[in-house]
């Protein structure tokens, strides 16, 4: 099957230098490269939207991670949604909306592997599959309910509460009958978290009275800490964890600037873990992929009922993708950070 | 019911001063006090044996713990076994063998609460209920199978592997089809762990080549780390944990000398917990008390088959109980540390 116009070249974002601390836009370059026609078993995707996520910082480091990193000169990794424009496989048809690890590029030549998923347009605009109906939504759901085992009446504390995952987590915790409290990076986000994301209370981590405000916001202690950041704030939270509490280790945004996470030094937590019988557990959302279809339908139904929202922070055009990542890692985004590549809404 | 001779006084060990660092024998005093006759609902117990356990260090600190601490002038806490000599309740008969939190004393006046348990003499000598058939055995069993969820073929690493809990844990891990590797405090204990406690390999934490020996002893990585010590050795172990590994936080012997466990400083472990999807969980064995009868029968059957042993390190006489605690916290004991109070075997 052939599309009407075949592009001979397209832009992509490559890694120019390993970041020293937090990545900067100058660590990346935008270059134009020829795009090949798909061979047998391959598809060519016109990328419409990219998702910008915290895990990307880890892919830029030399330290071992759960997935391979990005080498110098390679296309920066990213998940995206787009349309199939050429197909060398019966599994995809030209015009299909798809989601996959396309990387930061305008055109992606992909193997038709299980990593590339056909989207159901009836659930909403395709870009929702990068946020509320995709990684952000799945991560919030799995972290709260599969890993944290949140129960009605419990207090759930979420860090990075105004980010893509945190915004969904606050709403889902409340939908699950719990009381959600958020930690955010600015007073502007405090207002957003409490007015839009279902948080009963929110506190800026820069608040000079952080410790007392945290106590006031959690009068019954903390049953589940959904940790998107790590870092020094953890010690303060450990103090307030209830017996049999759960600490869900979802992200390490506070370490994004460190070359090696072992530079993040603090008191070892064994005493609190033991005395309070805490369970601290890390998770990678893709380990739960067999559950994604069910979770997606649940989230789409909540959205249709108007019970779940996720504001988007949109950067325009592929060349602005590195800047969007820098914004995210600095905590400057409000809601789900996306990059619009094409003209699709 | 009256015993033939009623003692008018008995010795007990009281706390004289809060320890500064590791407790010393001089922090305690042995005094003689009058013993009252039991009132209604009470029993008087002649204590035969005391158990010396790592958790006692925590009871001497000001820091919050899962159980109340010992105040100046109070009897030092300890579990023991003994015989009922006077009973003011129908639940106990003179001559019953009992287990309970009698404290460091020769005669214990106790309420007939669920904390005091009648022992089944058919299972073995009563003192076994302080070790293999008691807290040491229960802790090893619950930590491995309820919390660590050890499975056949996995590698289990145990710290303080020649202590009471560690000795049972090594044998039970092997009985459960896993491969047990021990960390101990001396070369003498290396030999004991591998010859007596079922460990496939053991390493002294003082070994100058510790890191390489640990790698060699765990060629397939570590699936479960049964941590009785905490402390700096943890960072080394974290490196070798396998994906989906479990860290069972059972004790903090390495912190026994610290006034506050927050003085135990090191890299925060969030990166490894996340990337490897580890589960780190603390437990207090008494939370599993509904399972103790079943576990005790299992352990007694293994003992009867000759598949489970636990050497005892015996201090003679109540005045030597503080010294036995000091020995334990210095790691100088070999096997289960007991104090013989009476003449019972």
């Amino acid at each position: 099957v052939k599309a009407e116009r075949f592009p001979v070249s397209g832009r992509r974002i490559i890694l120019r230098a390993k970041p020293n601390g937090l990545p900067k836009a100058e660590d990346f370059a935008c270059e134009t490269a020829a795009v090949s026609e798909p061979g047998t078993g391959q598809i060519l995707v016109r990328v419409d939207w990219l998702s910008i996520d915290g895990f990307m910082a880890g892919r830029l480091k030399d330290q071992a991670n759960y997935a391979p990193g990005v080498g110098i000169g390679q296309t920066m990794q990213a998940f995206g949604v787009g349309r199939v424009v050429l197909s060398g496989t019966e599994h995809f048809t030209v015009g299909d909306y798809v989601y996959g690890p396309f990387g930061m590029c305008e055109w992606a030549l992909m193997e038709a592997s299980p990593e590339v998923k056909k989207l159901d347009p009836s659930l909403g605009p395709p870009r929702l599959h990068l946020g509320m109906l995709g990684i952000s939504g799945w991560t919030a759901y799995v972290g709260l309910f599969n890993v944290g085992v949140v129960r009605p009446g419990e207090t759930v504390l979420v860090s990075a509460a105004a980010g893509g995952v945190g915004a969904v987590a606050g709403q889902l915790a409340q939908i699950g009958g719990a009381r959600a409290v958020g930690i955010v990076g600015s007073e502007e986000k405090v207002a957003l978290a409490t007015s839009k994301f279902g948080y009963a209370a929110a506190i800026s981590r820069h608040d000079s009275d952080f410790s007392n405000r945290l106590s006031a916001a959690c009068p019954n202690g903390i049953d589940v800490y959904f940790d998107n950041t790590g870092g020094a704030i953890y010690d303060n939270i450990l103090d307030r964890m209830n017996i049999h509490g759960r600490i869900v280790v979802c992200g390490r945004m506070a370490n994004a600037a460190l070359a090696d996470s072992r530079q993040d030094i603090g008191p070892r937590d064994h005493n609190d873990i033991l005395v309070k019988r805490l369970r601290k557990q890390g998770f990678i959302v893709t380990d739960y992929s067999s559950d994604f279809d069910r979770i997606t339908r649940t989230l789409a139904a909540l959205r249709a009922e108007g019970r779940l929202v996720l504001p988007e922070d949109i950067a325009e055009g592929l060349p602005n993708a590195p800047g969007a990542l820098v914004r995210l890692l600095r905590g400057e985004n409000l809601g789900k950070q996306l990059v619009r590549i094409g003209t699709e809404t």
Side-chain angles (χ1 to χ4, degrees), chain A:
Chain A
V1 183
K2 282 246 178 186
E4 284 180 38
R5 299 169 304 150
F6 176 60
V8 290
S9 69
R11 292 184 294 179
R12 64 189 189 120
I13 303 290
I14 61 161
L15 182 64
R16 207 164 60 173
K18 286 273 177 185
N20 181 13
L22 272 188
K24 301 177 298 297
E26 307 87 81
D27 295 326
F28 301 89
C30 184
E31 63 165 38
T32 300
V35 175
S36 308
E37 276 193 82
T40 304
Q42 294 183 318
I43 54 174
L44 184 68
V45 176
R46 174 71 174 95
V47 180
D48 293 319
W49 294 88
L50 292 177
S51 174
I52 304 296
D53 296 288
F55 73 80
M56 292 174 169
R59 304 292 165 88
L60 295 171
K61 295 184 181 183
D62 292 325
Q63 200 179 3
N65 203 323
Y66 54 90
V70 181
I72 304 291
Q74 291 184 337
T75 302
M76 177 61 193
Q77 296 176 15
F79 286 93
V81 292
R83 284 157 297 165
V84 175
V85 291
L86 287 173
S87 176
T89 164
E90 60 185 3
H91 297 301
F92 291 96
T93 308
V94 169
D96 279 350
Y97 284 97
V98 287
Y99 162 91
F102 301 142
M104 289 187 176
C105 59
E106 294 177 318
W107 303 89
L109 186 70
M110 303 293 295
E111 299 295 325
S113 78
E115 286 194 302
V116 180
K117 291 190 198 310
K118 213 180 289 190
L119 299 176
D120 176 356
S122 77
L123 295 178
R127 72 173 193 285
L128 293 182
H129 294 276
L130 295 177
M132 182 199 295
L133 304 185
I135 284 194
S136 304
W138 300 332
T139 302
Y141 187 103
V142 166
L144 285 173
F145 302 115
N146 295 52
V147 184
V149 196
V150 167
R151 295 172 290 210
E154 291 193 323
T155 297
V156 179
L157 181 70
V158 181
S159 58
V165 173
V168 179
Q171 299 170 78
L172 288 182
Q174 299 272 152
I175 286 166
R179 181 168 178 280
V181 176
I183 300 175
V184 294
S186 69
E187 291 302 326
E188 182 185 10
K189 289 180 183 176
V190 167
L192 195 63
T194 50
S195 66
K196 289 265 195 285
F197 303 151
Y199 284 96
I203 313 150
S204 166
R205 68 177 192 274
H206 304 299
D207 194 312
S208 60
D209 200 25
F210 176 81
S211 187
N212 288 326
R213 282 188 200 274
L214 181 62
S215 294
C218 305
N220 300 318
I222 300 163
D223 299 295
V224 174
Y225 176 39
F226 192 120
D227 187 355
N228 289 305
T229 60
I233 213 169
Y234 176 68
D235 313 332
N236 220 315
I237 288 156
L238 206 52
D239 269 348
R240 291 162 176 81
M241 290 299 298
N242 290 332
I243 286 177
H244 293 131
R246 286 82 72 198
I247 296 164
V248 179
V249 180
C250 177
R252 305 146 293 169
M253 296 282 277
N255 289 1
L258 303 177
D260 187 317
S261 64
R262 302 199 170 195
Q263 295 165 357
D264 176 24
I265 302 288
R268 291 193 184 84
D269 57 11
H270 293 71
N271 191 65
D272 285 283
I273 297 258
L274 171 56
V275 167
K276 298 184 187 172
R277 303 84 134 168
L278 304 178
R279 187 178 73 210
K280 179 180 186 181
Q281 189 170 352
F283 78 105
I284 305 288
V285 73
T286 45
D287 287 349
Y288 299 80
S289 58
S290 62
D291 222 12
F292 285 173
D293 284 347
R294 182 187 66 80
I295 297 172
T296 303
R297 287 193 302 273
T298 299
L299 298 171
L302 288 167
R303 174 178 172 270
E305 293 166 19
R307 299 175 69 191
L308 193 61
V309 300
L310 179 56
E312 291 159 344
D313 196 323
I314 296 174
E316 294 291 344
L318 182 68
N320 285 318
L325 174 58
V326 172
R327 268 171 61 76
L328 179 96
L329 295 177
R330 286 190 183 146
E332 293 169 5
N333 60 305
L334 295 174
K336 175 66 196 175
Q337 182 68 57
L338 296 174
V339 180
R340 191 198 318 255
I341 307 295
T343 53
E344 192 74 11
T345 55

